[in-house]
């Protein structure tokens, strides 16, 4: 891990790793071959994010909608997660990375759930990159769950945005600064709906198995030059300072 100061202010990167099936089909291989190849580059991107000084990296590995896929494909995806956890455990711990899964993993094999619990526990006090795999994840389901939890604990009270954010699956991940989708499609597919409210979006035609550290670094570079205004007229330091400004304006103009 390189400890140089980051040249950008991108703190949370989220990635929709898409295009595996098409990558394989184009090569006359079964779709699952694309997943196998795709899983091979995940660790490189984790390292690149860490080296680039990104604080949090959230990767979409299996959506609530992906349950509709053929059983054999789902099984391969489960298997690849299992293998990743076994293969990368030592490196994750050595690099001070905090690992978590967000999503419903009830239907994963017990042995995989054990590996997840073990790594989440072993890495829970790590202070480096927050690495999260969204698995069995859906943005709408996360928001609904957060709302239900809030209502249960605060019956009869309206929720505020700040409060609801605290009931999300992993509240300390915060807002997404940059969302990358590989594979050429321009959609969100139910990923981090709450957290991407002001994210910079970057869509690349590169299919996930062909994605590389070079392209990742290029995207960070390109996006860090964009002007983020958060609704203001000049580049604002962040969403929070804008909210403060808005509050002041509202009370001054109330009349
Ligand atoms: C992304 O690749 C991986 C998952 C959704 C699990 P796809 O399997 O969606 O690949 P394409 O989009 O069909 O090419
Ligand atoms: C999004 O990709 C989910 C993951 C990458 C895990 P999909 O391939 O499932 O999304 P759609 O079907 O193209 O919207
Ligand atoms: Mg896809």
């Amino acid at each position: 891990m390189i400890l140089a100061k980051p040249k950008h202010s991108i703190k949370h990167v989220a990635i929709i790793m898409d295009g595996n099936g098409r990558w394989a089909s184009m090569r006359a291989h079964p779709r699952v071959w694309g997943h196998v190849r795709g899983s091979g580059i995940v660790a490189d991107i984790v390292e690149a994010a860490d080296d680039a000084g990104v604080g949090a990296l959230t990767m979409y590995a299996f959506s609530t909608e992906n349950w509709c896929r053929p059983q054999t494909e789902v099984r391969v995806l489960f298997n690849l997660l299992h293998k990743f956890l076994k293969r990368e455990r030592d490196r994750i711990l050595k690099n001070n990375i905090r690992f978590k899964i967000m999503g419903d993993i009830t239907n994963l094999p017990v042995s995989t759930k054990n590996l997840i619990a073990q790594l989440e526990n072993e890495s829970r006090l790590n202070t480096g990159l927050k690495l999260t795999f969204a698995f069995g994840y859906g943005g709408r389901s996360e928001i609904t769950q957060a709302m239900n939890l809030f209502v249960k604990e605060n019956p009869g009270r309206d929720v505020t945005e700040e409060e609801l954010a605290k009931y999300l699956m992993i509240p300390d991940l915060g807002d997404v600064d940059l969302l990358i989708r590989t594979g050429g499609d321009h959609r969100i597919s139910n990923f981090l709906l709450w957290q991407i409210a002001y994210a910079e979006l970057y869509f690349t035609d590169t299919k996930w198995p062909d994605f590389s550290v070079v392209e990742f670094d290029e995207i960070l570079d390109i996006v860090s030059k964009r002007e983020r205004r958060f609704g203001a007229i000049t580049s604002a330091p962040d969403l929070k300072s804008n909210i403060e400004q808005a509050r002041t304006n509202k009370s001054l103009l109330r009349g």
Side-chain angles (χ1 to χ4, degrees), residues 8-203:
H8 57 80
S9 59
I10 299 169
K11 294 194 279 285
H12 184 184
V13 176
I15 307 184
I16 301 176
M17 304 181 280
D18 195 29
N20 293 348
R22 280 165 288 159
W23 183 91
S25 303
M26 279 164 60
R27 289 161 178 79
H29 286 301
R31 288 178 52 82
V32 293
W33 180 237
H35 297 317
V36 174
R37 291 295 291 256
S39 73
I41 66 148
V42 172
D44 290 349
I45 302 304
V46 171
E47 199 175 318
D50 202 7
D51 288 349
V54 163
L57 176 67
T58 307
M59 307 186 91
Y60 209 5
F62 190 85
S63 73
T64 45
E65 289 74 23
N66 289 149
W67 279 111
C68 306
R69 298 202 175 189
Q71 221 181 87
T72 44
E73 184 168 339
V74 172
R75 202 168 287 141
V76 167
L77 291 165
F78 283 5
N79 222 337
L80 288 169
L81 172 66
H82 191 96
K83 283 189 176 147
F84 177 90
L85 295 166
K86 281 183 103 165
R87 192 173 65 235
E88 296 303 323
R89 177 189 166 270
D90 290 353
R91 190 149 45 149
I92 285 173
L93 296 176
K94 191 175 116 243
N95 287 335
N96 194 25
I97 293 173
R98 188 196 76 178
F99 177 82
K100 273 182 188 275
I101 293 270
M102 72 195 303
D104 180 2
I105 56 163
T106 325
N107 294 306
L108 283 184
V110 176
S111 58
T112 310
K113 284 195 276 198
N114 288 342
L115 278 182
I116 292 169
Q118 192 190 341
L119 187 52
E120 284 189 340
N121 185 41
E122 287 174 319
S123 70
R124 73 188 190 287
L125 300 175
N126 287 354
T127 52
L129 179 75
K130 290 171 184 162
L131 172 64
T132 307
F133 279 8
F135 206 99
Y137 174 87
R140 285 185 171 179
S141 155
E142 179 180 30
I143 295 169
T144 311
Q145 195 178 301
M147 198 64 215
N148 284 334
L149 276 171
F150 176 85
V151 169
K152 204 178 251 173
E153 289 179 18
N154 306 274
R157 202 158 71 68
D158 285 351
V159 68
T160 64
E161 289 183 18
E162 287 77 12
E163 281 172 324
L164 188 63
K166 289 188 191 130
Y167 284 81
L168 295 174
M169 286 173 181
I170 309 182
D172 74 354
L173 291 182
D175 286 339
V176 171
D177 296 299
L178 164 62
L179 172 69
I180 301 170
R181 182 176 186 136
T182 62
D185 285 318
H186 296 188
R187 55 176 169 261
I188 303 300
S189 302
N190 202 13
F191 192 35
L192 301 174
L193 298 180
W194 180 274
Q195 298 88 335
I196 61 165
Y198 257 101
E200 291 297 320
L201 308 179
Y202 192 98
F203 300 100

